[in-house]
Amino acid sequence: MNNLSLTETELQRLLKVYVSLVLAVAISLYLLHMLLGYETLTAAWRAISYGLTCVTFLFGIFFKLAWRSPRIARWMRRPMVHGVWRGTLSSDFHQADKSPLQIPIIFVIRQTYLTISIESFTKSQEGESKLEALIQNGRTEATRLCYVFELKRLYQGENKLTTGAGDLRLINDSKQLRGHYWTNSPTFGELQLELISRECDGVDCYEIAERKWPSTITKSS
């Protein structure tokens, strides 16, 4: 089950809209049922039940799909990070007589209005987020994606689990993510990502992304 990624203000705004819509639909249905000759209690019960069901169903569709429309997302002031992102991980880890590591990386971010999940893939490592937050600064309108992650390294017989945190800023009309990460290895590095698709279905490893978008992956290799 994903954690909610809404701020307290966003959640309060959402609850107000939900309650207002339920009341509006319930009152309309109540008046309609009264005109049709239903008893008062029956009309009230049916109106409330139908109002809750209808608004909850519509909200479910909205949370999953509709809000991803760029116009609706802007109207709701909810930044959109959903999609497949590609770029480069630059790490301070280095070996003697070798340059610091620069590794092509893929991020798959799945977002609903309420939740966010992040997967990362390189040729030798897989990572997933355990805690996520999409933070907006009301004064500067800056947006940051912050997350805690676990990283699995399965390479040449090695089986290693690393934990860490990332802090990325959403820039360039929501088309780029740029920032830093830290791990308990300990290592520190920089991430630069750009959006290549809003379609995440079926992308569950680096090789799949490489086959689907070969030209963009090659650019960051």
Side-chain angles (χ1 to χ4, degrees), residues 119 151 154 165 169-170 217:
E119 291 183 293
L151 194 65
L154 304 173
R169 185 170 178 179
L170 185 65
I217 302 302

Side-chain angles (χ1 to χ4, degrees), residues 191-208:
L191 282 165
Q192 297 191 50
L193 305 165
E194 64 180 33
L195 180 69
I196 56 176
S197 177
R198 291 293 185 191
E199 182 54 59
C200 298
D201 292 346
V203 184
D204 54 10
C205 66
Y206 183 89
E207 290 73 19
I208 294 273

Side-chain angles (χ1 to χ4, degrees), residues 30 40-50:
Y30 174 77
T40 302
L41 289 178
T42 301
W45 173 253
R46 290 171 67 93
I48 294 172
S49 299
Y50 290 165

